[in-house]
Amino acid sequence: MIILSWNCRGLGSLSAISNLRNIAQRHNPDLIFLSETLANARKMETVRVTLKFDSCLAVDVDGRSGGLAVLWRNNIKCRVLNYSQNFVNMMIEDDIRGQWRLTCYYGFPERGRRKLAWDMLRDLRDMSDNPWCIIGDFNDLLSQEDKRGIHLHLNWLCNGFRNAVEECNLTDISIEGYQFTWTKSRGTPHMIEERLDRAMATTQWLELFPNVRLLNLPASHSDHNPIILYTDPTERHCYRYSFKFENKWLLEEDIREVVEAGWGPNRGMEISDRLGGCAEELRKWSRRKRS
């Protein structure tokens, strides 16, 4: 199973939808969890159709902030247990491993509500005895190593979150790629980077999925990076094979047309998406040349 989690910071623009569609096409997740959608259920139904997913649960935006959505395909068997403005609890039916619980989570961003967030984690723990995985934007740091930039994170905040995680018997799943998932004031002397987005699981869940992998994807549209969880990376490859540009291609007459097609006409696309599109077009073109 492949789970994509992203604090998308709103889906109101064409570029936001385009970025989400490109990520979904490139990584082919079975389930997508979006926080801070700033959208209502009608808007998310349009997004579901655009992404060609089978089902969608949307928690409407509250005023000018928030909004959650979970989209999934019919190849996974799941049912929604309960939900709120901060989480969606789901039971996954696995034909081989049995039932396990997935919580898609969005922690309170306000510092004054962190203790409420920690208590919410404890409440979520008590909702089921099934193996449990929780993923999302926690808006919390486990240690000072989760932050880089001006000002240290307050120790009482680290300690409070870490204590709640330990009491819930959750293990933080190490992330591959860049360590930090959120950036503020990028490109300035005041830039701050933090690891706010993560996945954690109980011992029972990790025994079911001992080869689990969590990847940090390149930033696009939002100040948060998407993260993607592979429960069975041996069954489906996490990475496409590495791309290498061959200098001899420059001698081909149609190389410019291939690059222009891959670069795309959409001005709202991020550079990372354009580069990925170019690489994919060049791969297909090179295979045609060899055949």
Side-chain angles (χ1 to χ4, degrees), residues 6 23 26-27 215-222 224-226 272-273:
W6 190 24
I23 293 170
R26 188 174 304 168
H27 299 279
L215 279 63
N216 187 1
L217 303 181
S220 179
H221 170 67
S222 172
H224 284 258
N225 288 3
S272 59
D273 295 323

Side-chain angles (χ1 to χ4, degrees), residues 179-211:
Q179 178 182 356
F180 305 105
T181 65
W182 175 79
T183 305
K184 180 181 179 181
S185 303
R186 189 190 305 271
T188 74
H190 305 289
M191 184 174 74
I192 297 173
E193 296 177 294
E194 296 180 343
R195 187 187 171 197
L196 300 180
D197 307 86
R198 61 181 74 240
M200 298 186 286
T202 60
T203 302
Q204 294 89 342
W205 190 90
L206 292 172
E207 289 173 350
L208 295 180
F209 302 100
N211 299 315

Side-chain angles (χ1 to χ4, degrees), residues 32-195:
I32 296 177
F33 169 53
L34 301 171
S35 57
E36 288 283 347
T37 61
L38 307 182
N40 57 27
R42 180 178 297 180
K43 173 68 175 180
M44 291 311 307
E45 177 62 17
T46 302
V47 173
R48 180 195 68 79
V49 173
T50 300
L51 298 182
K52 300 179 180 179
F53 272 65
D54 300 302
S55 302
C56 175
L57 170 71
V59 181
D60 284 354
V61 61
D62 182 17
R64 296 185 178 181
S65 63
L68 307 179
V70 181
L71 301 86
W72 65 94
R73 304 186 192 274
N74 283 343
N75 64 298
I76 62 171
K77 301 176 183 178
C78 63
R79 56 187 172 89
V80 177
L81 299 176
N82 55 0
Y83 59 88
S84 73
Q85 294 288 338
N86 295 91
F87 65 84
V88 177
N89 242 340
M90 309 180 76
M91 190 66 70
I92 309 297
E93 304 281 348
D94 191 308
D95 292 337
I96 299 175
R97 299 172 179 86
Q99 290 187 344
W100 56 273
R101 181 166 54 123
L102 173 67
T103 300
C104 301
Y105 181 82
Y106 175 65
F108 293 111
E110 304 89 356
R111 179 172 293 179
R113 304 178 77 183
R114 297 293 168 82
K115 291 183 178 180
L116 292 176
W118 305 334
D119 287 339
M120 182 165 55
L121 282 177
R122 297 180 179 98
D123 290 339
L124 285 166
R125 171 200 60 192
D126 296 336
M127 289 180 183
S128 170
D129 292 330
N130 292 90
W132 182 30
C133 177
I134 180 169
I135 188 170
D137 173 11
F138 285 76
N139 277 310
D140 249 319
L141 306 182
L142 284 171
S143 69
Q144 297 295 342
E145 285 70 35
D146 284 343
K147 178 175 182 176
R148 181 166 67 184
I150 59 174
H151 309 308
L152 292 175
H153 199 63
L154 296 177
N155 283 327
W156 73 268
L157 290 173
C158 292
N159 293 336
F161 182 41
R162 190 165 55 247
N163 289 340
V165 168
E166 291 175 354
E167 289 176 24
C168 292
N169 186 33
L170 290 169
T171 297
D172 187 47
I173 298 173
S174 61
I175 195 165
E176 300 179 29
Y178 197 60
Q179 178 182 356
F180 305 105
T181 65
W182 175 79
T183 305
K184 180 181 179 181
S185 303
R186 189 190 305 271
T188 74
H190 305 289
M191 184 174 74
I192 297 173
E193 296 177 294
E194 296 180 343
R195 187 187 171 197

